[in-house]
Amino acid sequence: MGNNLAKTVVAATGLPQDPVEREFNTLLEKHGKNPDSLTLEELREVMAEYLQMVFLEMHVEDGAESA
């Protein structure tokens, strides 16, 4: 699957490809994953952690605004 999967994910965002690809590759690197050999299960793991981080940041920001 690999690089095809990474490119599909980047394209599916509908956002400008270059910055999304850089961010996505940085995220994969942070988790020790290689976009050339990325599996669906690895993608799930990375995205689950990423979404948890985003939700936590949103929650913290909401708390700061209401304080």
Side-chain angles (χ1 to χ4, degrees):
M1 217 170 277
N3 203 20
N4 237 3
L5 178 58
K7 288 187 182 299
T8 299
V9 170
V10 169
T13 66
L15 298 170
Q17 200 160 352
D18 287 339
V20 172
E21 189 170 19
R22 282 193 302 273
E23 180 72 18
F24 186 63
N25 286 337
T26 299
L27 182 64
L28 292 176
E29 185 178 302
K30 178 182 170 192
H31 286 87
K33 309 299 181 197
N34 181 341
D36 294 326
S37 60
L38 185 67
T39 66
L40 192 53
E41 187 57 36
E42 290 173 329
L43 174 64
R44 287 182 182 126
E45 291 172 18
V46 170
M47 294 311 296
E49 288 181 34
Y50 179 74
L51 289 173
Q52 285 180 332
M53 181 184 69
V54 169
F55 291 147
L56 180 60
E57 287 177 4
M58 288 174 51
H59 179 72
V60 168
E61 288 177 10
D62 284 346
E65 287 178 6
S66 60

